[in-house]
């Protein structure tokens, strides 16, 4: 049967995609955190990594609900976003500017997740899978909160980043 034959089949594909994306993040976020100089940036990335482990578990729970395996798909978009994060990690430069760049990379990741969870939640709603909707919504809320806190952190480190030109 085609992966796009039914909304149910589409949901399975999308859960697999999200599962792979979250799995990539569980590995990537600690590396991004380690590359951060500002302790609150580091802590925010580590805190979200812990939440991300919960996102993986929720997707496993959802897979059980819909009687499917969450494995078997690669999220290529997340690969690219994580790769961009790695580029920042390897870059040398002013610590505050690098922290800012890490926040940008992390927020791009959050926005991608928000798009994914939001639309897949709508799909689950269409299928009247209330339990699945609720689980997806819980993760979506955490992604949104993480994104907002990253914006706050970017504002907090802005004065230090503005001074970067004077340090060189
Ligand atoms: Fe997540
Ligand atoms: Fe996230």
């Amino acid at each position: 049967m085609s992966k796009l034959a039914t909304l149910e089949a589409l949901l399975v594909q999308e859960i697999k995609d999200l599962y792979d994306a979250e799995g990539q993040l569980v590995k990537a976020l600690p590396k991004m955190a380690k590359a951060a100089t500002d302790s609150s940036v580091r802590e925010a990335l580590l805190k979200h990594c812990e939440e991300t482990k919960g996102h993986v578990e929720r997707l496993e729970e959802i897979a059980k609900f819909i009687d499917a395996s969450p494995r078997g798909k690669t999220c290529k978009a997340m690969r690219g976003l994580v790769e961009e994060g790695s580029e920042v990690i390897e870059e040398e430069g002013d610590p505050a500017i690098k922290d800012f760049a890490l926040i940008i990379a992390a927020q791009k990741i959050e926005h991608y997740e928000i798009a994914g969870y939001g639309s897949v939640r709508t799909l689950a709603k269409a299928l009247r899978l209330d339990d699945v909707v609720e689980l997806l919504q819980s993760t979506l809320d955490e992604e949104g909160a993480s994104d907002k806190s990253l914006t706050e952190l970017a504002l907090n480190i802005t004065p230090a980043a503005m001074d970067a030109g004077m340090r060189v």
Side-chain angles (χ1 to χ4, degrees):
M1 190 179 71
S2 160
K3 289 168 181 172
L4 300 180
T6 63
L7 283 180
E8 286 84 355
L10 177 60
L11 179 64
V12 170
Q13 287 308 307
E14 294 297 331
I15 295 302
K16 286 177 188 288
D17 196 76
L18 288 170
Y19 187 72
D20 183 70
E22 296 285 19
Q24 290 184 46
L25 285 177
V26 169
K27 291 185 200 148
L29 285 170
K31 293 180 196 164
M32 289 172 75
K34 207 178 150 202
T37 302
D38 184 277
S39 61
S40 34
V41 175
R42 210 181 314 133
E43 278 158 28
L45 293 171
L46 287 176
K47 179 184 169 234
H48 194 57
C49 185
E50 287 312 303
E51 286 175 343
T52 300
K53 290 174 190 167
H55 301 172
V56 169
E57 281 168 20
R58 281 195 192 114
L59 290 165
E60 284 167 351
E61 211 177 313
I62 290 168
K64 266 187 213 153
F65 264 122
I66 59 175
D67 204 21
S69 164
R71 292 167 208 284
K73 196 172 186 293
T74 299
C75 179
K76 295 194 189 102
M78 188 57 81
R79 247 196 209 170
L81 289 165
V82 166
E83 178 64 36
E84 288 192 7
S86 302
E87 283 175 13
V88 176
I89 290 169
E90 282 154 30
E91 205 70 54
E92 311 248 351
D94 183 90
I97 304 294
K98 186 164 173 168
D99 283 356
F100 212 114
L102 286 166
I103 291 172
I104 291 173
Q107 284 195 288
K108 286 178 180 175
I109 289 169
E110 291 318 311
H111 279 244
Y112 178 73
E113 288 188 290
I114 288 165
Y117 278 102
S119 51
V120 177
R121 176 211 48 196
T122 303
L123 171 55
K125 228 179 224 176
L127 290 167
R128 298 181 195 283
L129 296 168
D130 294 346
D131 296 323
V132 175
V133 171
E134 208 174 292
L135 287 162
L136 292 170
Q137 185 66 53
S138 303
T139 295
L140 182 58
D141 292 344
E142 286 177 4
E143 309 293 15
S146 169
D147 178 52
K148 279 199 191 78
S149 75
L150 287 167
T151 297
E152 290 296 317
L153 285 171
L155 294 172
N156 290 346
I157 67 164
T158 292
M162 297 283 266
D163 288 343
M166 286 179 249
R167 284 196 288 269
V168 279

